[in-house]
Amino acid sequence: MTVDPRAGRPRASSRETLAEAACELFLEQGYEATSIADIATRAGVSRSSFFNYFSSKGDILWAAFDERVDVAIAALAADDATPARDILMAIADDFAPDSLALAVANATVMGLDDELEGERALRQARLARAIADRAHRDGLPRLRAEVQGAAGAGAVLAAVWQWAHAGAGQADLGPVVAEALDAAPVGEPPTVRQLRVVVQAPDFEDTLTFYRDVLGMPQAEAYEAEGGARVAILDAGRATLELANSAQVAFIDRVETDGIASDRIRIALEVGDTSGVAERLAAGGARLEATPRETPWRSLNARLRGPADLQLTLFQELGPA
């Protein structure tokens, strides 16, 4: 007499029943050799019933995880109040061992190594895009946002794999995701989103012409107010704040100018051709304080005094010797 392998199991078609049947078959005969018809037969349901729960054979493994990722992606796009890290941590909330964890832990036996890696990459890319877009909206430059997105998504998927290999039923997924995100921080935008140097320029037109037209800093914004008030905001590329103690300032002055003292605040501008830009600025109204010279840290520096009494350092990164 043939014994029904599903004897004693409820005959009701359900996602859990189909998933259990599929994993049994993947372990017994491999993923590629198992058909949807095989899974439906083992589960005791019709083939058409299979598609009430899953769109494909691979969907059996990923459906529960995909639902959580879809929720996270929607939240990253719509909920700017909740920190991105908290949204990613929610993927792990009450995440019980399922078909995906079993497949990851038994990928070689099931013949699933290539299948899982390919599907993992697709989900990692979707999640990375959502994290990056959120980070960019939060104020990170696009490149840094893309890196943060890739790191955050990679951390989540790496945590799932680590959790599965360690024995998914032995620990919660949440602490593993938290540890992974600690290694690839995803979270709040920086407190300071832009450095803006505000300069009082009594000779406004000449100063604007020099920095915008001669030096070549594009005008990003301009405003006027009552009483002849005017302001122009020029784009200076990436902004940083360099803090130096007195000994460092004296050292830089010796290297860059043969000892001409720096102002308390000096504006340093990275350019592609220090000599050419210095010559152009001198011709446009700046006073050359120190001619271009190579520094020990492989940059070509020149110092000038520009309109509005700004002390300027031009520096060109020369790269390795």
Side-chain angles (χ1 to χ4, degrees):
M1 181 177 75
T2 302
V3 178
D4 181 354
R6 304 292 297 177
R9 182 172 294 168
R11 307 300 284 180
S13 175
S14 71
R15 210 155 100 161
E16 293 75 16
T17 301
L18 283 162
E20 184 180 343
C23 288
E24 288 174 359
L25 287 165
F26 295 162
L27 284 169
E28 291 170 12
Q29 59 192 42
Y31 180 80
E32 289 297 332
T34 300
S35 68
I36 290 174
D38 292 336
I39 297 168
T41 299
R42 175 66 65 92
V45 302
S46 67
R47 188 177 185 278
S48 60
S49 294
F50 175 93
F51 294 102
N52 291 333
Y53 302 97
F54 302 106
S55 62
S56 66
K57 186 170 62 173
D59 191 33
I60 294 172
L61 306 177
W62 290 97
F65 182 77
D66 283 347
E67 287 178 358
R68 291 167 177 262
V69 169
D70 289 344
V71 169
I73 288 173
L76 287 165
D79 180 8
D80 287 344
T82 302
R85 181 189 173 96
D86 291 353
I87 293 172
L88 296 178
M89 284 297 305
I91 293 174
D93 286 350
D94 300 320
F95 194 92
D98 66 352
S99 303
L100 178 60
L102 183 65
V104 170
N106 297 277
T108 301
V109 174
M110 291 182 173
L112 272 169
D113 290 300
D114 292 341
E115 171 77 14
L116 284 176
E117 285 304 314
E119 293 296 320
R120 172 180 174 173
L122 291 174
R123 285 151 180 87
Q124 189 166 317
R126 285 185 64 227
L127 189 57
R129 167 56 45 219
I131 298 169
D133 288 346
R134 166 66 184 273
H136 188 54
R137 288 201 316 276
D138 282 346
L140 281 185
R142 176 51 73 179
L143 177 59
R144 289 182 60 190
E146 294 288 340
V147 171
Q148 189 175 101
V156 171
L157 271 298
V160 172
W161 254 242
Q162 173 68 25
W163 172 72
H165 282 299
Q170 299 179 20
D172 291 336
L173 176 58
V176 187
V177 173
E179 181 181 354
L181 290 174
D182 285 343
V186 175
E188 298 297 316
T191 301
V192 177
R193 299 189 180 190
Q194 179 185 158
L195 175 63
R196 181 172 293 178
V197 179
V198 181
V199 177
Q200 183 175 336
D203 193 349
F204 183 84
E205 285 294 348
D206 286 348
T207 303
L208 177 60
T209 298
F210 178 85
Y211 289 105
R212 182 190 61 199
D213 303 334
V214 180
L215 180 55
M217 297 169 68
Q219 181 171 303
E221 303 172 53
Y223 305 99
E224 297 184 10
E226 60 184 22
R230 294 183 62 192
V231 63
I233 300 170
L234 307 182
D235 189 349
R238 187 171 71 99
T240 58
L241 179 63
E242 179 177 315
L243 304 175
N245 66 10
S246 299
Q248 174 66 14
V249 171
F251 172 64
I252 292 173
D253 288 344
R254 290 195 302 273
V255 169
E256 194 172 282
T257 70
D258 295 328
I260 297 175
S262 290
D263 290 356
R264 186 167 176 272
I265 296 177
R266 175 168 49 87
I267 306 299
L269 303 169
E270 182 179 0
V271 297
D273 177 12
T274 293
S275 297
V277 174
E279 183 177 343
R280 189 170 78 242
L281 297 189
R287 186 177 80 251
L288 191 65
E289 292 188 342
T291 55
R293 63 194 63 192
E294 186 174 330
T295 68
W297 48 89
R298 291 285 296 159
S299 66
L300 187 64
N301 290 23
R303 192 176 292 185
L304 303 96
R305 179 72 58 174
D309 200 33
L310 287 181
Q311 192 174 51
L312 309 174
T313 288
L314 304 178
F315 68 98
Q316 174 187 351
E317 299 291 2
L318 299 176

